[in-house]
Amino acid sequence: AVVSTQRTGEVLLTRLLSTKGTLQPYVDDLLCTVFMSRERVPPCVKYLFDFLERQAQRHNLLHNQACIHTWKNNSLSLRFWMNVIKNPQFLLDIDQTPTIDSSLNIVCGIFMDSCSTSDKGLTKDSPINKLLYAKDIPRYRKQVQKHYEQVSSLPSAPLDFLTGLPPTGLNSTVAVSELLAIANKYQKQLQSSFGPDSPSLNLKFTSIIDASLLAAPNLV
């Protein structure tokens, strides 16, 4: 029984490696398409990244490149692209079967690891898909980092693409309302996170959140 199990594992590993080799060009193409060359970066992406870097400068975080990298991940790469990869039916008329869904979950895992700035390390008990792409992730991470650096080096984006906004501009009241709704939903968790040992204690975040929720109950 032990020998039979070992042979089954060897057969499965061989097939996994073969399948990975078949899919590798498509995964490479996906990363190249998302993290495109600087000549093809949409103005809105440049505008977003410039905004995040200005916020980092405003809050004295320019020295913390990992933080800025995470902001860019969470605002675009993981928020938008991960959603599209996970749900291709948003763009394409396809029948997303359980098999396709499972495969896309693996691709999403690769994409997420490629955007990460930390390496959690792998063991023999790690998921097989992470072990299969362990040697490729460092290359993908360099590709993501290079893309972010190239976007930062581009000239400021022209504001022509903003002409589609309403004449009054962005509605800050709606934005504040959405933020307060989230703060109200997770009020206990926020208060716990901003406890006495938190670096944010001097910024009085907890008091600000409580005061905001009390002052604008109709917005929540």
Side-chain angles (χ1 to χ4, degrees):
V2 175
V3 175
S4 177
T5 301
Q6 184 177 1
R7 288 179 177 175
T8 301
E10 291 174 353
V11 171
L12 289 175
L13 179 59
T14 301
R15 289 186 176 180
L16 282 171
L17 291 173
S18 176
T19 303
K20 188 228 175 187
T22 302
L23 296 178
Q24 186 73 51
Y26 298 98
V27 176
D28 289 344
D29 286 346
L30 172 66
L31 271 292
C32 288
T33 300
V34 173
F35 303 108
M36 60 197 74
S37 63
R38 52 178 290 164
E39 289 78 13
R40 298 172 54 200
V41 174
C44 55
V45 172
K46 172 60 177 174
Y47 183 85
L48 172 63
F49 282 14
D50 283 354
F51 170 78
L52 295 175
E53 289 170 3
R54 287 196 301 270
Q55 295 306 305
Q57 182 177 18
R58 177 182 177 185
H59 297 286
N60 298 318
L61 291 172
L62 285 178
H63 64 283
N64 192 343
Q65 290 300 311
C67 176
I68 301 173
H69 187 99
T70 301
W71 286 358
K72 294 174 181 179
N73 285 339
N74 292 339
S75 61
L76 179 65
S77 302
L78 301 183
R79 183 179 181 85
F80 174 76
W81 285 111
M82 277 280 289
N83 203 18
V84 172
I85 295 170
K86 171 66 178 167
N87 302 285
Q89 71 272 19
F90 289 171
L91 298 177
L92 306 172
D93 183 14
I94 64 171
D95 180 20
Q96 189 165 339
T97 64
T99 302
I100 293 177
D101 189 60
S102 298
S103 299
L104 292 177
N105 280 335
I106 294 176
V107 176
C108 285
I110 298 169
F111 190 90
M112 184 177 295
D113 290 340
S114 301
C115 292
S116 175
T117 58
S118 60
D119 190 356
K120 298 179 181 179
L122 297 174
T123 67
K124 62 179 182 179
D125 298 322
S126 298
I128 186 64
N129 58 292
K130 290 185 178 293
L131 294 174
L132 282 172
Y133 282 90
K135 294 183 178 180
D136 301 290
I137 294 301
R139 174 168 59 90
Y140 292 150
R141 283 179 179 166
K142 290 181 180 179
Q143 188 174 347
V144 175
Q145 181 64 39
K146 181 180 179 181
H147 173 73
Y148 287 174
E149 291 173 354
Q150 287 181 337
V151 175
S152 295
S153 67
L154 289 172
S156 297
L159 299 183
D160 297 348
F161 72 94
L162 293 175
T163 54
L165 291 174
T168 54
L170 297 173
N171 191 327
S172 58
T173 302
V174 174
V176 171
S177 176
E178 293 289 337
L179 290 173
L180 288 177
I182 295 173
N184 183 57
K185 181 178 180 180
Y186 298 101
Q187 188 172 6
K188 291 183 179 180
Q189 292 93 322
L190 289 171
Q191 289 174 339
S192 176
S193 299
F194 299 142
D197 298 329
S198 172
S200 61
L201 181 63
N202 294 333
L203 299 177
K204 301 179 180 179
F205 280 160
T206 304
S207 300
I208 293 173
I209 292 173
D210 291 341
S212 299
L213 292 174
L214 287 174
N218 294 331
L219 289 178
V220 179

